[in-house]
Amino acid sequence: MSRPAHKRPEYHKINKDLFVLTYGALVAQLCKDYEKDEDVNKYLDKMGYNIGTRLVEDFLARSCVRRCHSYSEIINIIAQVAFKMYLGITPSVTCHNSSRNEFSLILHKNPLAEFVEELPAGRSALCYCNLLCGIIRGALEMVHLAANVTFLQDRLKGDSVTEIGITFLKKLDEKKYRRKK
Amino acid sequence: MADAVLFEFLHTEMVAELWAPDPDPGSGGKRRSLSVLEGLGFRVGQALGERLPLETPAFREELDALKFLCRDLWAAMFQKHMDGLRTNHQGTYVLQDNSFPLLVTMGSGPQYLEEAPKFLAFTCGLLCGALHTLGFQSLVTASVASLPACKFQVVIQKS
């Protein structure tokens, strides 16, 4: 076995940059391969979905999260545990409606777009971070929580914050879960 | 943070989705089929090369640049050093990693040997891109005899 590398503080930043830079190169490649922004968005969402279906296993293994009993509890887990674990940020959470199945994650910082000043010319409809929507949707689906996940606001499009909207599609059966506990 | 996991999953997904298509097909179908991934890796390698701390302002020799890749670049990316570096002192180097992180999860032994080259193309491009930032033109190829060990052969092009 090789000698363990000494832990320089800048190495941690480089490791983080590796994902962000790789993602940037991927988006650039997809913009080259596809003419339409919606095709790139769809592709990123699909890749994100495939990643999310696997990432949720890693997340459940690392964290000690147990079964949630409400959508707001689930959203708080996503914002305070999952985003913190994988991206090092903690988005704010807002709820949109009285039936409490529509939420938003407000990203005040967006590490995925750290090196992006603005969208490429002629790509105004591109959702640069659409991979995140796919990841969240794929992860939730693996724990039987069907959801629509879309960007409602995007700093790269001139908005003041980046906002991810999450709408749960099925009614959460609280009695059923309470019985199993 | 668990950044390494995100990169590994993204890398796997890129291999799954991008390894086949090449918008500029030329001669030699096998070689070209990995060029998109290599191109992505090259861009990332260029950027990483700019970000890593250089303890000397300029490398006097190729060997210093290769040692930099084996120690600093690998430590930053995979939190370990390369296991070996050999050279014929004529511009050809072989970098050996006995437990390459992007192959470790595939298992050990010959079972997935056929699929392994797909998972090396990005890293070949990355090494090439980092060397380019350091001022060296190179051709990087990889080989796997038995998972998860692999070798990257670097041939420095004389200008």
Side-chain angles (χ1 to χ4, degrees):
Chain A
M1 183 57 91
S2 63
R3 294 160 291 148
H6 49 293
K7 298 288 182 180
R8 291 192 186 185
E10 58 265 34
Y11 282 178
H12 180 69
K13 181 67 165 74
I14 292 291
N15 184 253
K16 179 173 177 291
D17 289 352
L18 177 60
F19 171 69
V20 175
L21 291 169
T22 302
Y23 185 69
L26 169 66
V27 175
Q29 181 67 40
L30 294 179
C31 286
K32 182 181 171 186
D33 288 347
Y34 295 97
E35 283 181 28
K36 297 180 182 175
D37 289 348
E38 50 260 49
D39 290 337
V40 177
N41 293 342
K42 200 179 302 179
Y43 203 94
L44 290 172
D45 185 77
K46 182 179 75 157
M47 289 184 80
Y49 178 88
N50 291 338
I51 292 172
T53 57
R54 300 184 184 94
L55 193 70
V56 67
E57 296 183 21
D58 181 82
F59 173 71
L60 293 175
R62 281 174 195 268
S63 64
C64 295
V65 171
R66 296 191 303 145
R67 190 181 295 276
C68 299
H69 300 123
S70 68
Y71 286 141
S72 59
E73 192 179 345
I74 293 160
I75 289 295
N76 282 320
I77 293 293
I78 293 173
Q80 291 170 28
V81 186
F83 265 83
K84 184 68 179 177
M85 181 180 288
Y86 293 110
L87 291 176
I89 57 172
T90 306
S92 308
V93 173
T94 60
C95 179
H96 286 300
N97 59 350
S98 55
S99 61
R100 297 193 67 80
N101 74 318
E102 291 179 26
F103 298 85
S104 280
L105 301 171
I106 311 292
L107 280 69
H108 307 281
K109 281 171 45 182
N110 185 0
L112 220 53
E114 184 176 349
F115 304 123
V116 186
E117 300 286 340
E118 57 191 8
L119 293 176
R123 293 285 181 178
S124 56
L126 172 70
C127 282
Y128 184 85
C129 296
N130 218 36
L131 190 88
L132 288 182
C133 294
I135 289 178
I136 296 171
R137 186 168 59 85
L140 288 175
E141 191 164 309
M142 290 299 287
V143 291
H144 306 109
L145 293 163
N148 276 337
V149 188
T150 55
F151 275 96
L152 304 179
Q153 292 189 82
D154 192 345
R155 240 187 190 136
L156 291 176
K157 294 180 175 174
D159 299 316
S160 56
V161 295
T162 297
E163 181 181 356
I164 299 176
I166 302 179
T167 301
F168 292 97
L169 303 176
K170 288 190 285 187
K171 187 177 180 181
L172 196 57
D173 192 343
E174 294 188 4
K175 287 185 178 178
K176 178 180 175 184
Y177 291 124
R178 197 172 296 121
R179 194 180 318 123
K180 283 185 178 177
K181 186 165 63 176
Chain B
M1 282 189 290
D3 299 301
V5 175
L6 267 183
F7 169 72
E8 285 168 21
F9 278 132
L10 179 62
H11 179 267
T12 298
E13 200 58 32
M14 291 193 310
V15 169
E17 296 289 336
L18 296 177
W19 87 273
D22 187 342
D24 301 307
S27 58
K30 170 66 177 177
R31 170 68 187 178
R32 298 289 296 180
S33 68
L34 301 177
S35 66
V36 173
L37 283 169
E38 286 175 351
L40 290 177
F42 187 89
R43 290 177 66 144
V44 175
Q46 279 184 304
L48 284 183
E50 292 166 6
R51 283 167 169 75
L52 280 162
L54 304 178
E55 291 177 337
T56 55
F59 292 123
R60 264 184 284 267
E61 295 178 14
E62 293 171 4
L63 188 57
D64 293 316
L66 270 294
K67 286 179 178 175
F68 175 78
L69 297 184
C70 291
R71 295 180 187 150
D72 296 86
L73 182 64
W74 229 240
M77 284 180 60
F78 301 122
Q79 292 80 57
K80 57 175 284 196
H81 291 163
M82 279 272 200
D83 294 300
L85 167 61
R86 302 201 318 269
T87 177
N88 64 1
H89 298 291
Q90 294 171 36
T92 299
Y93 301 81
V94 175
L95 288 64
Q96 167 97 28
D97 192 326
N98 294 329
S99 184
F100 185 55
L102 299 178
L103 295 180
V104 163
T105 50
M106 293 179 73
S108 58
Q111 184 173 6
Y112 297 106
L113 216 50
E114 252 179 59
E115 302 293 315
K118 301 175 185 174
F119 290 84
L120 302 174
F122 178 86
T123 306
C124 286
L126 191 143
L127 290 167
C128 191
L131 283 167
H132 186 267
T133 295
L134 300 174
F136 299 95
Q137 306 301 314
S138 65
L139 180 66
V140 183
T141 56
S143 63
V144 184
S146 180
L147 297 170
C150 71
K151 296 178 181 177
F152 297 94
Q153 178 172 274
V154 178
V155 180
I156 303 293
Q157 313 286 293
K158 304 302 181 182
S159 56

